[in-house]
Amino acid sequence: MMTTDQRIEISDLIHVMLDNAEEKWMNGGNRLVITNESRALDSSIYKSETIGSSIPGHPLVNDDEVKIDEFIALVADMRDSSNHLMCASSHKKTDISGLQRVFYETSALLPAIAKTISYENGNVTEYLGDGVLAFFKVDKEEKNKAIYAAHRASKNIISDTRTILNSIIHERYRLPEISVGVGLAYSKAMITLVGLQGEKHPKAFGECVFRATKLSNGNNLIMADENLKAMWPTSKGGNLSFNKKIMNGVNGFVINRKTNI
């Protein structure tokens, strides 16, 4: 569970981000149009670059260095955002719908999730439209520490953060509750830069990213891949259960608290 101060900080952050989203919407977001502008290809000669990074344990990433590290990837995804966009809501039930609704929801949800993850020393490296990709670095001597931190962050996203957000968006816009799925996966990953010259971004490229993405499609579920399940600390009388479930073709485990605890 989050501390009282953390819950207050998340609540304040959601309000600020929604205020910001409303201002952006009123100042032009409601006039979104498709343009035919295109960016010319950069044909300059390749040059090595060093870019600042939010990948845990790798504050700088250089083109010329190949680095391999171990991570738990966490992908948190807002469920059914496409339906929120396409399905108009009755004004008798809610004050906004369609694109405006999704803009407000994601503008508040994604920073709130990122803040929640930061409480457990994980870092968000990418915002994925209606979700986030984050990493927890796994040190060989402290694997359990990374596992527990990733799980605590996941629980707080599903419970505290989602509950706070749902309360606020209902109060402000009479919106129904949103659901969030969280996928967790473990693997080695290559730290690299991707993109055009002068526009490169640091990325951690590994199987954990793809599996966590696939496993984030449950409604208010936390799912772990087989690798993470295999390395999960065990103890007699542990309070967690792992129920096998295939999600999007990936073998995973739904993590729940045992009901008899």
Side-chain angles (χ1 to χ4, degrees), residues 112-202:
I113 288 177
K115 177 62 72 173
T116 303
I117 290 169
S118 75
Y119 292 150
E120 300 297 338
N121 297 317
N123 284 353
V124 169
T125 62
E126 295 183 47
Y127 292 88
L128 309 171
D130 56 3
V132 304
L133 167 64
F135 291 97
F136 293 81
K137 188 175 182 297
V138 178
D139 294 319
K140 291 182 179 180
E141 297 79 12
E142 296 185 308
K143 285 188 176 183
N144 292 359
K145 182 177 179 181
I147 294 170
Y148 292 143
H151 184 233
R152 284 194 302 269
S154 301
K155 288 193 300 180
N156 288 338
I157 290 167
I158 294 294
S159 56
D160 292 330
T161 300
R162 192 178 67 89
T163 299
I164 295 167
L165 175 64
N166 283 333
S167 175
I168 292 172
I169 63 174
H170 177 73
E171 178 184 351
R172 290 178 67 139
Y173 314 115
R174 295 188 297 156
L175 285 174
E177 291 189 354
I178 65 166
S179 294
V180 177
V182 177
L184 297 172
Y186 163 80
S187 77
K188 292 183 178 180
M190 178 175 65
I191 315 304
T192 186
L193 295 178
V194 299
L196 297 174
Q197 193 73 41
E199 300 179 355
K200 294 183 180 180
H201 297 276

Side-chain angles (χ1 to χ4, degrees), residues 61-72:
V61 179
N62 186 283
D63 269 333
D64 293 335
E65 296 182 66
V66 177
K67 293 185 177 181
I68 305 296
D69 214 336
E70 298 179 36
F71 295 100
I72 296 171

Side-chain angles (χ1 to χ4, degrees), residues 36-73:
N36 294 320
E37 295 177 358
S38 60
R39 180 186 296 274
L41 289 175
D42 187 343
S43 58
S44 62
I45 298 174
Y46 167 83
K47 296 179 181 178
S48 176
E49 293 184 70
T50 300
I51 306 294
S53 163
S54 58
I55 298 171
H58 299 270
L60 294 174
V61 179
N62 186 283
D63 269 333
D64 293 335
E65 296 182 66
V66 177
K67 293 185 177 181
I68 305 296
D69 214 336
E70 298 179 36
F71 295 100
I72 296 171

